[in-house]
Amino acid sequence: RRISVSRRKHEVVRYAQRLEGEIGRHSSIQDYRAAATIRADTEGTGIYLLPSAEAFSRLEPGSAPTGVVFSDGSFLIVKETFRFGYRTPRDDEPTVWRSEYSYHYQRPSEGYFFRFDCHPAMGDPETHPVHHLHSAGWREEDTKLASVPRFSVPEATLPEVLELIEVSFF
């Protein structure tokens, strides 16, 4: 059950292009979209970052809008790690699956953000569910975004998050 290197890379890049297409489907509410970083390795692992891992790591209440910037000044930063291959030994066909994701949406004008996360290697499952939602506000003097509470939620996808943003705020 070998998969050629070229097919692995092709499927990973194709998946990243589908993410780009999903973001493009909501262009009517966007002012600006930064260039995404797409990485694909020979093992079939891909990373999609919009705009960059550095931008995500530096998010704070006063962060300048980046990533997908919407017409009201709110913004979305996207991070997905995914893989193409056989997810389990019982699988008949290889597929793309996400091992981690983070969809961070911030509304600076209202001092509010939410972020859907999945990063299984982090934290205690009792207090840090695999799929969770951060949703909080901040005060003017705050320098960090709240990391709690974490609400356990079903798995989220980029199309669902974009639809949530469009329906709820536009």
Side-chain angles (χ1 to χ4, degrees):
R1 295 187 350 149
R2 292 181 181 240
I3 304 169
S4 72
V5 170
S6 61
R7 181 167 182 214
R8 283 187 208 151
K9 286 187 96 169
H10 171 79
E11 294 295 338
V12 165
V13 169
R14 197 169 108 187
Y15 178 79
Q17 289 169 339
R18 285 197 306 264
L19 294 176
E20 289 276 285
E22 288 296 336
I23 293 167
R25 285 187 10 182
H26 298 271
S27 63
S28 65
I29 60 171
Q30 298 172 23
D31 265 356
Y32 170 78
R33 182 164 121 196
T37 300
I38 300 169
R39 298 184 191 134
D41 69 18
T42 57
E43 298 300 312
T45 300
I47 298 174
Y48 180 89
L49 302 162
L50 181 64
S52 68
E54 182 181 344
F56 184 82
S57 69
R58 293 185 304 162
L59 282 171
E60 56 186 41
S63 293
T66 188
V68 179
V69 180
F70 297 97
S71 57
D72 65 354
S74 63
F75 63 97
L76 175 68
I77 292 180
V78 178
K79 176 184 174 187
E80 278 197 25
T81 303
F82 42 91
R83 184 167 177 79
F84 178 75
Y86 296 97
R87 190 168 188 173
T88 71
R90 297 178 307 279
D91 289 345
D92 293 330
E93 294 293 324
T95 188
V96 173
W97 76 90
R98 296 173 309 145
S99 55
E100 292 187 43
Y101 61 78
S102 186
Y103 309 115
H104 177 94
Y105 178 68
Q106 195 161 318
R107 297 188 61 79
S109 64
E110 297 171 17
Y112 166 78
F113 80 97
F114 69 75
R115 182 174 60 248
F116 287 91
D117 279 336
C118 170
H119 36 77
M122 289 184 67
D124 175 1
E126 291 290 320
T127 59
H128 202 130
V130 172
H131 301 281
H132 60 273
L133 168 68
H134 301 267
S135 182
W138 65 80
R139 295 181 307 267
E140 221 173 277
E141 63 272 11
D142 289 346
T143 58
K144 293 171 81 173
L145 296 171
S147 64
V148 292
R150 289 183 197 97
F151 302 100
S152 181
V153 294
E155 183 173 358
T157 66
L158 180 58
E160 292 168 338
V161 172
L162 288 163
E163 187 70 19
L164 173 68
I165 291 168
E166 186 163 0
V167 168
S168 299
F169 301 106
F170 294 92

